[in-house]
Amino acid sequence: DLRPATDRGPDRAVAAAWVAEASGDRDGFARAVEQARGGPLGTLGWLAARARLMGHPDAEVAALSAVATRLSAPGAGAAVARRLATLAAAQGAAPAAQVHLRRALGEDPADVPTLALAGRLERDARAGHARATAEVAALEARLAQAEGSERADLVARLLDRYHRIIIALEGPLEAPEHAVAWAKRALALDPAGLDAVLVLERHLAQAGDWARIAALALGWAERSQAPAERSSWLHIAGELFRSRLAAPAKALKVYRKIVAHRPADLAARAALVEAALQIGDWAAAAQAHRGLAEQAPADQQALAFGVTGRLYEVAGDAAAAYAAYQAALAVDSADPVAADGVVRLVAAVGTYW
């Protein structure tokens, strides 16, 4: 049901969106969409419609993406996927547009509007590739002599042409293996270029070159200014080191960086514990697990502190182990793991802390 949610009673996201739209607050509207991601489909559909009316494609994409992940009935997502493809194409994200088009055609192969959009995107990509290729040599020759603002303008124009060529190679020209060289040329001009990084990641993943992808992710993390973005790239690198490259020591270093800057990142703490256990660094595992225990739900906290205490015991830190067991008993005085731990420590060391 994607009807407007105006008859569904009070809804915080809807109310926030109304206020943001009325005041022209685009950031506020985007926050309202994010707030509604797990809400009723009707609310998300209404938000997508309002975003379209106010000319806010990013918010519309966010709302429709949340809808698309939850539609399960056959054929229900064709129209949503087609709209997402249209928006992606308008933003110059041809690979994403192709993904949405494939989903739409998978649900309804005979849908005329979707077939028309697919044809238009293919024609545009082919034409864009031809034009861009013809212009690149002249722009690169001018760039070699340019300085200052002229150089910045030429770099921007060249990056645009490179990306048009990449889009065509990955799409209608069906020659994705040649896109890597163009992505490298784009990165030579703009080392922080996300589009080119993602192209390289896709092709390196197909080749199974996980070490190169991890290196790319680490490099992008170092250049990222936003903490959340930096954390996301570090998570990618950490997961690759841990699960694909069998390099838990490197994963441990990465997750330590995340936790140092984002102490509340429980996923990073859990991964840090696993990496530390893999290399036998019991002290690091215990310290990270204590952070998990401190933020665990109330009904799981005693068990979490008990595990922390046991890890500290194995690490040889009796005082920290005792403190962890006492924290568990403060939550649940009958917790058997913590009670046994306290008895065992006192018997072994002969003292209370």
Side-chain angles (χ1 to χ4, degrees):
D1 178 9
L2 296 182
R3 292 173 297 172
T6 51
D7 61 342
R8 297 175 183 268
D11 185 292
R12 290 178 62 192
V14 170
W18 273 116
V19 173
E21 183 182 0
S23 60
D25 181 2
R26 296 171 69 84
D27 291 340
F29 193 94
R31 288 193 295 272
V33 172
E34 185 63 29
Q35 180 184 347
R37 288 183 71 87
L41 289 178
T43 296
L44 288 165
W46 179 83
L47 287 169
R50 301 309 304 179
R52 184 173 184 176
L53 287 172
M54 69 184 295
H56 196 334
D58 291 340
E60 186 181 357
V61 167
L64 290 179
S65 296
V67 169
T69 61
R70 294 164 57 189
L71 290 176
S72 56
V80 173
R82 184 173 66 248
R83 179 60 183 164
L84 284 170
T86 301
L87 289 166
Q91 294 174 330
Q98 294 294 337
V99 170
H100 294 308
L101 279 176
R102 283 195 292 272
R103 176 176 179 181
L105 291 171
E107 297 201 19
D108 187 357
D111 183 65
V112 173
T114 302
L115 290 170
L117 177 60
R120 179 172 66 79
L121 291 181
E122 181 171 342
R123 290 191 300 273
D124 289 349
R126 288 182 182 275
H129 174 269
R131 288 194 302 271
T133 304
E135 294 172 359
V136 161
L139 289 172
E140 288 181 335
R142 290 177 56 191
L143 182 66
Q145 307 297 326
E147 297 180 356
S149 60
E150 182 188 3
R151 179 178 176 80
D153 177 65
L154 288 170
V155 167
R157 292 170 64 185
L158 268 171
L159 288 173
D160 174 73
R161 273 50 168 193
Y162 291 159
H163 292 150
R164 288 177 185 273
I165 293 170
I166 290 169
I167 287 166
L169 290 170
E170 290 194 317
L173 297 183
E174 297 181 353
E177 67 278 6
H178 297 302
V180 174
W182 291 100
K184 288 180 178 178
R185 289 168 83 163
L187 283 174
L189 287 180
D190 180 16
L194 178 58
D195 289 337
V197 169
L198 294 178
V199 170
L200 287 177
E201 283 194 340
R202 282 196 296 274
H203 293 283
L204 292 172
Q206 290 173 2
D209 195 346
W210 305 113
R212 297 267 308 273
I213 298 175
L216 279 173
L218 288 175
W220 187 261
E222 289 302 316
R223 289 187 289 269
S224 298
Q225 300 298 317
E229 182 180 315
R230 183 171 187 270
S231 175
S232 296
W233 285 109
L234 288 173
H235 267 291
I236 291 172
E239 181 60 25
L240 288 172
F241 284 132
R242 193 162 59 96
S243 63
R244 295 283 187 174
L245 296 169
K250 291 183 178 179
L252 183 65
K253 291 180 180 178
V254 170
Y255 289 120
R256 275 177 166 160
K257 286 184 179 180
I258 300 175
V259 171
H261 290 91
R262 297 172 71 86
D265 190 330
L266 299 185
R269 285 189 178 275
L272 198 161
V273 171
E274 289 187 27
L277 292 176
Q278 283 182 283
I279 63 174
D281 190 339
W282 301 102
Q287 184 178 4
H289 203 279
R290 183 174 184 89
L292 288 175
E294 290 170 349
Q295 299 178 64
D299 60 343
Q300 300 174 26
Q301 205 163 35
L303 174 61
F305 274 118
V307 172
T308 301
R310 186 60 183 147
L311 287 171
Y312 273 124
E313 270 196 83
V314 177
D317 190 339
Y322 184 84
Y325 289 139
Q326 289 291 0
L329 292 172
V331 176
D332 180 2
S333 59
D335 182 73
V337 173
D340 288 348
V342 168
V343 171
R344 186 170 55 251
L345 285 172
V346 172
V349 181
T351 185
Y352 291 92
W353 284 265

